[in-house]
Amino acid sequence: MVAAAVVAGGMVYGGTVAYLTHFDHATAPAPAGAGVDAVSRAALDVVREARCDYCHAARVELPFYFHLPVAQPLMSRDRDEGLRHFRVEPVIDALQNGSVPDEEKLARIEEVINQNRMPPTLYLLMHWHAHLSASQRESMLTWIAQVRRQHYATPGVADRFAADPVQPLPESVPVDASKVALGQRLFFDRRLSGDGQSNCASCHSLQHGGVDGLVTASGIGGQKGPINVPTVFNVGFSRWQFWNARADTLAQQAAGPVMNPVEMGSHDWTAVADSLRADPTYAPAFQAAFGSDTIDETTITNAIAEYEKTLVTPDSRFDQYLKGDDAALNTQEKHGYALFRQVGCAGCHTGPSMGGQALEPMGLEGDYFAARGGTLTDADKGRFEVTHDPADMERFKVPNLRNIALTAPYFHDGSVKTLDDAVRKMARYQTPDHDMSEQDVADIVSFLNTLTGKYQGETLRDTTP
Protein backbone atom coordinates (compact mmCIF):
# COMPACT_ATOMS: atom_id res chain seq x y z
CA MET A 1 0.00 0.00 0.00
CA VAL A 2 2.75 2.42 0.93
CA ALA A 3 4.66 1.63 -2.25
CA ALA A 4 1.52 2.10 -4.33
CA ALA A 5 0.83 5.44 -2.65
CA VAL A 6 4.37 6.55 -3.31
CA VAL A 7 4.09 5.54 -6.97
CA ALA A 8 0.73 7.28 -7.31
CA GLY A 9 2.07 10.40 -5.62
CA GLY A 10 5.09 10.37 -7.89
CA MET A 11 2.88 10.09 -10.95
CA VAL A 12 0.73 13.01 -9.82
CA TYR A 13 3.80 15.09 -9.06
CA GLY A 14 5.42 14.21 -12.40
CA GLY A 15 2.24 14.96 -14.27
CA THR A 16 1.90 18.31 -12.52
CA VAL A 17 5.48 19.26 -13.37
CA ALA A 18 4.91 18.24 -17.00
CA TYR A 19 1.74 20.33 -17.16
CA LEU A 20 3.50 23.34 -15.63
CA THR A 21 6.38 23.01 -18.07
CA HIS A 22 3.93 23.19 -20.96
CA PHE A 23 2.03 26.08 -19.34
CA ASP A 24 5.24 28.02 -18.63
CA HIS A 25 6.39 27.75 -22.23
CA ALA A 26 2.98 28.44 -23.76
CA THR A 27 2.39 31.64 -21.75
CA ALA A 28 5.96 32.98 -21.69
CA PRO A 29 6.71 36.58 -22.76
CA ALA A 30 7.07 37.03 -26.50
CA PRO A 31 10.49 36.38 -28.04
CA ALA A 32 12.74 39.14 -29.30
CA GLY A 33 11.70 41.15 -32.31
CA ALA A 34 13.50 41.38 -35.63
CA GLY A 35 16.84 43.12 -35.50
CA VAL A 36 17.61 42.27 -31.88
CA ASP A 37 21.19 40.99 -31.53
CA ALA A 38 22.05 37.42 -30.59
CA VAL A 39 23.38 38.29 -27.11
CA SER A 40 20.12 40.01 -26.16
CA ARG A 41 18.09 37.16 -27.63
CA ALA A 42 19.97 34.65 -25.51
CA ALA A 43 19.39 36.72 -22.38
CA LEU A 44 15.67 37.02 -23.13
CA ASP A 45 15.48 33.27 -23.60
CA VAL A 46 16.82 32.85 -20.06
CA VAL A 47 14.16 35.19 -18.64
CA ARG A 48 11.44 33.39 -20.60
CA GLU A 49 12.65 29.98 -19.45
CA ALA A 50 12.91 30.97 -15.78
CA ARG A 51 9.59 32.85 -15.96
CA CYS A 52 10.90 35.69 -13.81
CA ASP A 53 7.67 37.52 -14.65
CA TYR A 54 5.60 35.26 -12.40
CA CYS A 55 6.84 37.08 -9.31
CA HIS A 56 8.29 40.27 -10.78
CA ALA A 57 5.64 41.49 -13.24
CA ALA A 58 2.26 42.95 -12.32
CA ARG A 59 0.10 41.61 -15.12
CA VAL A 60 0.78 37.97 -15.95
CA GLU A 61 -1.21 34.75 -16.31
CA LEU A 62 -0.28 32.67 -13.26
CA PRO A 63 -0.13 28.84 -12.90
CA PHE A 64 -3.16 27.16 -11.37
CA TYR A 65 -1.58 26.56 -7.96
CA PHE A 66 -1.36 30.33 -7.36
CA HIS A 67 -5.14 30.20 -6.94
CA LEU A 68 -5.52 27.13 -4.71
CA PRO A 69 -7.02 27.97 -1.28
CA VAL A 70 -4.09 26.59 0.71
CA ALA A 71 -1.33 27.95 -1.53
CA GLN A 72 -2.87 31.29 -2.50
CA PRO A 73 -1.92 33.25 0.66
CA LEU A 74 1.69 32.01 0.49
CA MET A 75 1.95 32.65 -3.24
CA SER A 76 0.42 36.11 -2.92
CA ARG A 77 2.91 37.02 -0.21
CA ASP A 78 5.81 35.82 -2.35
CA ARG A 79 4.53 37.75 -5.35
CA ASP A 80 4.04 40.90 -3.31
CA GLU A 81 7.61 40.63 -2.08
CA GLY A 82 8.86 39.92 -5.59
CA LEU A 83 7.12 43.01 -6.97
CA ARG A 84 8.46 45.10 -4.11
CA HIS A 85 12.02 43.93 -4.68
CA PHE A 86 12.25 44.12 -8.46
CA ARG A 87 10.13 44.82 -11.55
CA VAL A 88 11.17 42.84 -14.62
CA GLU A 89 8.83 44.42 -17.19
CA PRO A 90 11.33 47.09 -18.34
CA VAL A 91 13.99 44.41 -18.77
CA ILE A 92 11.74 42.18 -20.86
CA ASP A 93 10.72 45.15 -22.98
CA ALA A 94 14.35 46.14 -23.56
CA LEU A 95 15.31 42.61 -24.54
CA GLN A 96 12.36 42.26 -26.88
CA ASN A 97 12.98 45.47 -28.81
CA GLY A 98 16.71 46.09 -28.37
CA SER A 99 16.39 49.22 -26.23
CA VAL A 100 18.71 50.11 -23.35
CA PRO A 101 17.65 49.10 -19.81
CA ASP A 102 18.41 51.22 -16.76
CA GLU A 103 21.74 50.77 -15.00
CA GLU A 104 20.00 49.72 -11.80
CA LYS A 105 18.11 46.91 -13.53
CA LEU A 106 21.35 45.53 -14.91
CA ALA A 107 23.00 45.70 -11.51
CA ARG A 108 20.17 43.95 -9.71
CA ILE A 109 20.11 41.09 -12.21
CA GLU A 110 23.88 40.73 -12.00
CA GLU A 111 23.64 40.62 -8.21
CA VAL A 112 21.16 37.74 -8.04
CA ILE A 113 22.93 35.83 -10.81
CA ASN A 114 26.29 36.05 -9.05
CA GLN A 115 24.73 35.15 -5.70
CA ASN A 116 22.76 32.29 -7.31
CA ARG A 117 19.63 33.48 -5.52
CA MET A 118 17.14 33.14 -8.35
CA PRO A 119 14.99 31.26 -9.14
CA PRO A 120 14.26 30.23 -5.52
CA THR A 121 14.43 26.58 -4.50
CA LEU A 122 10.72 26.13 -3.72
CA TYR A 123 9.82 27.47 -7.16
CA LEU A 124 12.20 25.01 -8.81
CA LEU A 125 10.43 22.08 -7.13
CA MET A 126 7.48 22.69 -9.46
CA HIS A 127 9.31 24.23 -12.43
CA TRP A 128 12.28 21.97 -13.10
CA HIS A 129 13.07 23.60 -16.42
CA ALA A 130 13.58 26.98 -14.72
CA HIS A 131 16.83 25.91 -13.09
CA LEU A 132 19.51 28.07 -14.68
CA SER A 133 22.53 26.27 -16.03
CA ALA A 134 26.01 27.75 -15.94
CA SER A 135 25.71 28.67 -19.61
CA GLN A 136 22.37 30.41 -19.05
CA ARG A 137 23.82 32.45 -16.20
CA GLU A 138 26.76 33.33 -18.39
CA SER A 139 24.35 34.44 -21.13
CA MET A 140 22.79 36.96 -18.74
CA LEU A 141 26.15 38.25 -17.53
CA THR A 142 27.42 38.55 -21.10
CA TRP A 143 24.39 40.63 -22.06
CA ILE A 144 24.83 42.89 -19.01
CA ALA A 145 28.51 43.42 -19.84
CA GLN A 146 27.67 44.22 -23.47
CA VAL A 147 25.07 46.83 -22.53
CA ARG A 148 27.38 48.49 -20.03
CA ARG A 149 30.30 48.65 -22.43
CA GLN A 150 28.15 50.07 -25.20
CA HIS A 151 26.05 52.53 -23.22
CA TYR A 152 27.33 53.20 -19.71
CA ALA A 153 31.13 53.01 -19.71
CA THR A 154 32.68 56.36 -18.81
CA PRO A 155 35.39 57.72 -21.11
CA GLY A 156 38.78 56.89 -19.65
CA VAL A 157 37.70 53.78 -17.78
CA ALA A 158 40.15 50.89 -17.99
CA ASP A 159 38.92 48.08 -20.20
CA ARG A 160 38.80 45.61 -17.30
CA PHE A 161 36.33 47.89 -15.47
CA ALA A 162 34.26 49.01 -18.47
CA ALA A 163 31.54 46.47 -17.64
CA ASP A 164 31.44 47.23 -13.91
CA PRO A 165 28.25 48.59 -12.31
CA VAL A 166 30.23 51.60 -11.05
CA GLN A 167 32.07 53.95 -13.38
CA PRO A 168 34.52 56.81 -12.83
CA LEU A 169 33.03 60.27 -12.65
CA PRO A 170 33.63 62.37 -15.76
CA GLU A 171 35.96 65.32 -15.36
CA SER A 172 33.22 67.72 -16.45
CA VAL A 173 29.81 67.85 -18.11
CA PRO A 174 28.55 70.03 -20.99
CA VAL A 175 27.02 73.25 -19.69
CA ASP A 176 26.11 76.77 -20.79
CA ALA A 177 28.78 79.01 -19.25
CA SER A 178 26.55 82.10 -19.03
CA LYS A 179 23.83 80.18 -17.21
CA VAL A 180 26.43 78.62 -14.91
CA ALA A 181 27.80 82.04 -13.93
CA LEU A 182 24.30 83.31 -13.20
CA GLY A 183 23.31 80.13 -11.37
CA GLN A 184 26.37 80.35 -9.14
CA ARG A 185 25.38 83.87 -8.06
CA LEU A 186 21.84 82.73 -7.35
CA PHE A 187 22.99 79.65 -5.42
CA PHE A 188 24.68 81.93 -2.90
CA ASP A 189 22.19 84.83 -2.99
CA ARG A 190 20.26 85.21 0.27
CA ARG A 191 17.57 87.27 -1.43
CA LEU A 192 15.96 84.03 -2.54
CA SER A 193 14.87 83.43 1.07
CA GLY A 194 11.90 85.03 2.77
CA ASP A 195 13.97 86.76 5.44
CA GLY A 196 17.13 87.35 3.41
CA GLN A 197 19.12 85.16 5.79
CA SER A 198 19.60 81.88 3.91
CA ASN A 199 20.56 80.61 0.48
CA CYS A 200 20.97 77.26 -1.26
CA ALA A 201 24.43 76.90 0.28
CA SER A 202 22.98 77.19 3.78
CA CYS A 203 21.96 73.53 3.55
CA HIS A 204 24.29 72.45 0.75
CA SER A 205 27.65 73.69 1.95
CA LEU A 206 30.44 73.19 -0.56
CA GLN A 207 32.82 73.23 2.40
CA HIS A 208 31.00 70.34 4.07
CA GLY A 209 30.54 67.67 1.41
CA GLY A 210 27.54 69.45 -0.11
CA VAL A 211 25.41 68.98 3.04
CA ASP A 212 24.83 70.75 6.36
CA GLY A 213 25.98 68.01 8.72
CA LEU A 214 22.71 68.08 10.67
CA VAL A 215 20.29 65.24 11.40
CA THR A 216 17.56 67.14 9.55
CA ALA A 217 17.66 70.52 7.83
CA SER A 218 17.43 73.80 9.68
CA GLY A 219 15.40 76.42 7.83
CA ILE A 220 13.97 79.92 8.09
CA GLY A 221 13.51 81.14 11.64
CA GLY A 222 15.38 78.11 12.97
CA GLN A 223 12.60 75.72 11.96
CA LYS A 224 13.62 72.08 11.72
CA GLY A 225 12.90 70.22 8.53
CA PRO A 226 11.67 66.61 8.52
CA ILE A 227 14.48 64.96 6.59
CA ASN A 228 18.24 64.74 6.14
CA VAL A 229 19.84 66.95 3.48
CA PRO A 230 21.25 65.03 0.47
CA THR A 231 24.55 66.20 -0.98
CA VAL A 232 24.49 68.66 -3.86
CA PHE A 233 27.74 67.30 -5.28
CA ASN A 234 27.24 65.11 -8.36
CA VAL A 235 23.51 65.72 -8.12
CA GLY A 236 23.26 66.07 -11.89
CA PHE A 237 23.77 62.32 -12.30
CA SER A 238 20.59 61.45 -10.38
CA ARG A 239 17.45 60.49 -12.28
CA TRP A 240 15.27 62.22 -9.70
CA GLN A 241 15.71 64.74 -6.90
CA PHE A 242 14.72 64.63 -3.22
CA TRP A 243 14.53 61.48 -1.12
CA ASN A 244 10.99 60.81 -2.35
CA ALA A 245 11.87 61.62 -5.98
CA ARG A 246 9.19 64.29 -6.22
CA ALA A 247 11.28 66.35 -8.64
CA ASP A 248 12.20 65.02 -12.08
CA THR A 249 14.75 67.74 -12.85
CA LEU A 250 17.35 69.86 -11.10
CA ALA A 251 15.31 72.96 -11.92
CA GLN A 252 12.26 71.50 -10.18
CA GLN A 253 14.41 70.66 -7.18
CA ALA A 254 15.81 74.20 -7.05
CA ALA A 255 12.28 75.59 -6.92
CA GLY A 256 11.18 73.52 -3.95
CA PRO A 257 13.21 74.89 -1.00
CA VAL A 258 12.75 78.52 -2.05
CA MET A 259 8.99 78.34 -1.55
CA ASN A 260 8.98 75.82 1.29
CA PRO A 261 7.77 77.62 4.44
CA VAL A 262 10.08 75.52 6.62
CA GLU A 263 13.16 75.93 4.43
CA MET A 264 13.81 79.27 2.68
CA GLY A 265 10.31 80.58 3.27
CA SER A 266 9.67 82.87 0.31
CA HIS A 267 5.99 83.45 -0.39
CA ASP A 268 5.88 83.82 -4.15
CA TRP A 269 8.21 84.00 -7.13
CA THR A 270 7.13 87.53 -8.03
CA ALA A 271 8.55 88.81 -4.74
CA VAL A 272 11.78 86.87 -5.29
CA ALA A 273 12.11 88.27 -8.84
CA ASP A 274 11.46 91.83 -7.62
CA SER A 275 14.17 91.43 -4.99
CA LEU A 276 16.66 90.32 -7.64
CA ARG A 277 15.70 93.12 -10.04
CA ALA A 278 16.64 95.61 -7.35
CA ASP A 279 20.23 94.66 -8.16
CA PRO A 280 20.91 96.34 -11.54
CA THR A 281 23.61 93.79 -12.41
CA TYR A 282 21.13 90.93 -12.59
CA ALA A 283 19.22 92.07 -15.69
CA PRO A 284 22.26 91.88 -18.00
CA ALA A 285 23.25 88.55 -16.44
CA PHE A 286 19.83 87.07 -17.24
CA GLN A 287 20.03 88.64 -20.71
CA ALA A 288 23.38 86.95 -21.34
CA ALA A 289 22.12 83.61 -20.06
CA PHE A 290 18.67 83.47 -21.65
CA GLY A 291 18.61 86.12 -24.39
CA SER A 292 16.06 88.02 -22.32
CA ASP A 293 16.14 89.96 -19.09
CA THR A 294 13.08 88.09 -17.83
CA ILE A 295 13.51 87.15 -14.18
CA ASP A 296 11.02 84.56 -12.98
CA GLU A 297 10.78 81.09 -11.52
CA THR A 298 11.76 79.41 -14.78
CA THR A 299 14.89 81.43 -15.46
CA ILE A 300 16.01 81.46 -11.83
CA THR A 301 15.68 77.71 -11.32
CA ASN A 302 17.13 76.82 -14.72
CA ALA A 303 20.21 78.90 -13.99
CA ILE A 304 20.68 77.28 -10.58
CA ALA A 305 20.25 73.86 -12.16
CA GLU A 306 22.92 74.62 -14.77
CA TYR A 307 25.35 75.62 -12.03
CA GLU A 308 24.58 72.50 -10.00
CA LYS A 309 25.51 70.35 -13.00
CA THR A 310 29.08 71.61 -12.58
CA LEU A 311 29.35 70.39 -8.98
CA VAL A 312 31.16 67.26 -10.08
CA THR A 313 33.88 65.72 -7.90
CA PRO A 314 36.04 63.47 -10.11
CA ASP A 315 39.51 62.07 -9.63
CA SER A 316 38.97 60.27 -6.35
CA ARG A 317 41.43 57.49 -5.63
CA PHE A 318 38.71 55.07 -6.68
CA ASP A 319 38.33 56.89 -10.00
CA GLN A 320 42.05 56.61 -10.53
CA TYR A 321 41.81 52.89 -9.86
CA LEU A 322 38.94 52.48 -12.33
CA LYS A 323 41.03 54.29 -14.92
CA GLY A 324 43.81 51.76 -14.58
CA ASP A 325 46.04 52.91 -11.69
CA ASP A 326 46.21 49.70 -9.70
CA ALA A 327 48.32 51.35 -6.99
CA ALA A 328 45.61 53.95 -6.25
CA LEU A 329 43.96 51.53 -3.79
CA ASN A 330 45.60 49.35 -1.19
CA THR A 331 44.77 45.70 -0.59
CA GLN A 332 42.11 46.36 2.04
CA GLU A 333 40.37 48.96 -0.14
CA LYS A 334 40.33 46.62 -3.14
CA HIS A 335 38.88 43.87 -0.99
CA GLY A 336 36.29 46.37 0.27
CA TYR A 337 35.21 47.08 -3.30
CA ALA A 338 34.99 43.36 -4.03
CA LEU A 339 32.79 42.91 -0.94
CA PHE A 340 30.72 45.94 -1.94
CA ARG A 341 29.82 44.09 -5.11
CA GLN A 342 29.65 40.62 -3.59
CA VAL A 343 27.10 41.38 -0.85
CA GLY A 344 24.90 43.39 -3.21
CA CYS A 345 25.63 47.06 -2.43
CA ALA A 346 26.40 47.69 -6.11
CA GLY A 347 22.98 46.30 -6.99
CA CYS A 348 21.54 49.70 -6.02
CA HIS A 349 24.52 52.05 -5.83
CA THR A 350 25.27 52.11 -9.54
CA GLY A 351 26.58 54.53 -12.14
CA PRO A 352 29.21 57.25 -11.86
CA SER A 353 27.69 58.81 -8.73
CA MET A 354 26.99 55.40 -7.18
CA GLY A 355 23.35 56.20 -6.53
CA GLY A 356 20.37 58.20 -7.72
CA GLN A 357 19.37 55.63 -10.34
CA ALA A 358 16.75 53.71 -8.37
CA LEU A 359 13.97 53.95 -5.83
CA GLU A 360 14.22 51.23 -3.20
CA PRO A 361 12.26 50.28 -0.08
CA MET A 362 14.06 50.96 3.19
CA GLY A 363 14.07 47.49 4.71
CA LEU A 364 14.16 45.00 1.85
CA GLU A 365 15.49 42.25 4.10
CA GLY A 366 14.22 43.36 7.51
CA ASP A 367 11.98 45.90 9.23
CA TYR A 368 14.27 48.91 9.55
CA PHE A 369 11.66 51.18 11.09
CA ALA A 370 10.66 48.70 13.79
CA ALA A 371 14.31 48.29 14.77
CA ARG A 372 14.93 52.04 14.68
CA GLY A 373 11.97 52.76 16.91
CA GLY A 374 10.46 56.16 17.47
CA THR A 375 7.46 57.77 15.87
CA LEU A 376 6.94 57.19 12.16
CA THR A 377 6.71 60.48 10.28
CA ASP A 378 5.42 61.52 6.88
CA ALA A 379 9.06 61.70 5.77
CA ASP A 380 9.39 57.99 6.60
CA LYS A 381 6.70 57.19 4.02
CA GLY A 382 9.10 58.04 1.19
CA ARG A 383 7.79 57.85 -2.35
CA PHE A 384 4.28 57.07 -1.06
CA GLU A 385 3.89 60.74 -0.16
CA VAL A 386 4.09 61.53 -3.89
CA THR A 387 2.24 58.64 -5.54
CA HIS A 388 -0.03 57.37 -2.72
CA ASP A 389 0.66 53.90 -4.12
CA PRO A 390 1.01 51.33 -1.30
CA ALA A 391 3.86 49.74 -3.27
CA ASP A 392 5.83 52.96 -2.73
CA MET A 393 5.48 53.00 1.04
CA GLU A 394 8.92 53.55 2.65
CA ARG A 395 10.57 53.63 -0.79
CA PHE A 396 13.37 56.18 -1.24
CA LYS A 397 15.80 57.36 -3.85
CA VAL A 398 19.07 55.47 -3.46
CA PRO A 399 21.57 58.06 -2.21
CA ASN A 400 24.75 59.04 -4.01
CA LEU A 401 27.81 57.54 -2.28
CA ARG A 402 30.42 59.87 -3.69
CA ASN A 403 32.22 61.77 -0.88
CA ILE A 404 30.22 59.69 1.58
CA ALA A 405 32.88 60.05 4.26
CA LEU A 406 32.03 63.78 4.43
CA THR A 407 28.24 63.61 4.53
CA ALA A 408 27.31 62.18 7.95
CA PRO A 409 24.82 61.68 9.50
CA TYR A 410 23.33 59.06 7.18
CA PHE A 411 19.99 57.82 5.83
CA HIS A 412 16.88 59.87 5.13
CA ASP A 413 16.26 60.26 8.85
CA GLY A 414 19.84 61.19 9.74
CA SER A 415 19.72 58.51 12.42
CA VAL A 416 23.15 57.00 11.80
CA LYS A 417 26.20 58.95 12.89
CA THR A 418 29.08 56.87 11.54
CA LEU A 419 29.95 55.27 8.25
CA ASP A 420 30.70 51.88 9.77
CA ASP A 421 27.29 51.79 11.45
CA ALA A 422 25.67 52.78 8.15
CA VAL A 423 27.38 49.81 6.45
CA ARG A 424 26.20 47.44 9.20
CA LYS A 425 22.62 48.62 8.93
CA MET A 426 22.61 48.51 5.14
CA ALA A 427 23.91 44.94 5.24
CA ARG A 428 21.27 44.01 7.82
CA TYR A 429 18.22 45.64 6.24
CA GLN A 430 19.01 45.81 2.51
CA THR A 431 21.03 42.69 1.68
CA PRO A 432 20.81 38.96 2.51
CA ASP A 433 24.14 39.27 4.40
CA HIS A 434 22.53 40.01 7.77
CA ASP A 435 25.55 39.22 9.92
CA MET A 436 28.48 40.94 8.26
CA SER A 437 31.71 40.51 10.18
CA GLU A 438 33.44 43.51 11.70
CA GLN A 439 36.39 42.92 9.40
CA ASP A 440 34.13 43.02 6.35
CA VAL A 441 32.54 46.23 7.65
CA ALA A 442 35.99 47.75 8.11
CA ASP A 443 37.04 46.72 4.60
CA ILE A 444 33.94 48.22 2.97
CA VAL A 445 34.38 51.44 4.96
CA SER A 446 38.00 51.61 3.82
CA PHE A 447 36.73 51.38 0.24
CA LEU A 448 34.05 54.03 0.79
CA ASN A 449 36.73 56.39 2.09
CA THR A 450 38.38 56.25 -1.35
CA LEU A 451 35.29 57.89 -2.92
CA THR A 452 36.21 61.40 -1.80
CA GLY A 453 36.91 63.33 -4.99
CA LYS A 454 38.16 66.71 -6.08
CA TYR A 455 36.22 69.90 -6.69
CA GLN A 456 37.88 72.52 -8.85
CA GLY A 457 41.12 70.58 -8.59
CA GLU A 458 41.22 70.35 -4.79
CA THR A 459 40.45 67.22 -2.80
CA LEU A 460 37.28 67.74 -0.81
CA ARG A 461 37.58 67.96 2.94
CA ASP A 462 35.37 69.24 5.70
CA THR A 463 36.48 72.86 6.23
CA THR A 464 33.46 73.93 8.30
CA PRO A 465 34.67 75.83 11.39
Side-chain angles (χ1 to χ4, degrees), residues 326-403:
D326 196 61
L329 302 189
N330 63 32
T331 300
Q332 183 184 25
E333 292 159 350
K334 291 174 185 175
H335 184 239
Y337 178 46
L339 284 173
F340 182 85
R341 296 189 61 181
Q342 178 183 320
V343 302
C345 308
C348 293
H349 293 284
T350 59
S353 63
M354 303 178 69
Q357 307 305 310
L359 305 172
E360 294 293 339
M362 187 64 170
L364 275 175
E365 302 291 341
D367 193 335
Y368 166 79
F369 291 100
R372 183 198 69 180
T375 302
L376 291 176
T377 68
D378 285 344
D380 291 328
K381 295 177 182 177
R383 182 70 174 158
F384 176 83
E385 279 291 276
V386 180
T387 66
H388 304 294
D389 182 346
D392 285 331
M393 182 62 74
E394 299 171 1
R395 189 181 295 273
F396 299 89
K397 185 182 77 169
V398 175
N400 159 13
L401 292 187
R402 293 294 185 160
N403 312 301

Side-chain angles (χ1 to χ4, degrees), residues 210-430:
V211 299
D212 58 7
L214 303 175
V215 173
T216 61
S218 183
I220 189 169
Q223 298 181 83
K224 293 302 295 181
I227 204 161
N228 185 257
V229 172
T231 181
V232 74
F233 282 119
N234 307 300
V235 71
F237 297 102
S238 292
R239 291 186 60 189
W240 312 272
Q241 307 301 326
F242 298 117
W243 282 100
N244 61 13
R246 65 183 181 273
D248 291 327
T249 67
L250 280 176
Q252 290 175 2
Q253 185 280 326
V258 177
M259 291 295 133
N260 190 309
V262 178
E263 296 183 56
M264 296 174 72
S266 287
H267 298 294
D268 61 76
W269 284 101
T270 299
V272 172
D274 288 344
S275 178
L276 295 177
R277 287 192 195 94
D279 183 337
T281 65
Y282 262 124
F286 275 87
Q287 180 71 45
F290 295 100
S292 166
D293 62 3
T294 299
I295 302 177
D296 58 15
E297 176 185 358
T298 298
T299 54
I300 292 169
T301 58
N302 273 276
I304 293 173
E306 197 73 1
Y307 168 63
E308 289 181 341
K309 291 178 187 177
T310 71
L311 301 178
V312 181
T313 61
D315 205 26
S316 67
R317 289 198 292 120
F318 181 56
D319 286 328
Q320 296 167 22
Y321 175 69
L322 292 179
K323 290 183 176 182
D325 182 0
D326 196 61
L329 302 189
N330 63 32
T331 300
Q332 183 184 25
E333 292 159 350
K334 291 174 185 175
H335 184 239
Y337 178 46
L339 284 173
F340 182 85
R341 296 189 61 181
Q342 178 183 320
V343 302
C345 308
C348 293
H349 293 284
T350 59
S353 63
M354 303 178 69
Q357 307 305 310
L359 305 172
E360 294 293 339
M362 187 64 170
L364 275 175
E365 302 291 341
D367 193 335
Y368 166 79
F369 291 100
R372 183 198 69 180
T375 302
L376 291 176
T377 68
D378 285 344
D380 291 328
K381 295 177 182 177
R383 182 70 174 158
F384 176 83
E385 279 291 276
V386 180
T387 66
H388 304 294
D389 182 346
D392 285 331
M393 182 62 74
E394 299 171 1
R395 189 181 295 273
F396 299 89
K397 185 182 77 169
V398 175
N400 159 13
L401 292 187
R402 293 294 185 160
N403 312 301
I404 191 69
L406 304 178
T407 61
Y410 303 107
F411 302 172
H412 76 283
D413 53 14
S415 63
V416 177
K417 295 181 180 180
T418 65
L419 195 51
D420 58 343
D421 199 27
V423 170
R424 287 190 202 95
K425 284 185 166 61
M426 281 289 99
R428 170 63 185 86
Y429 297 108
Q430 301 300 117

Side-chain angles (χ1 to χ4, degrees), residues 30-37 41 44 95-98:
V36 174
D37 65 274
R41 286 177 178 276
L44 178 58
L95 288 167
Q96 287 171 334
N97 62 37

Side-chain angles (χ1 to χ4, degrees), residues 425-446:
K425 284 185 166 61
M426 281 289 99
R428 170 63 185 86
Y429 297 108
Q430 301 300 117
T431 81
D433 193 352
H434 290 179
D435 299 309
M436 183 177 289
S437 72
E438 286 303 299
Q439 185 59 59
D440 285 350
V441 170
D443 289 353
I444 291 178
V445 169
S446 73

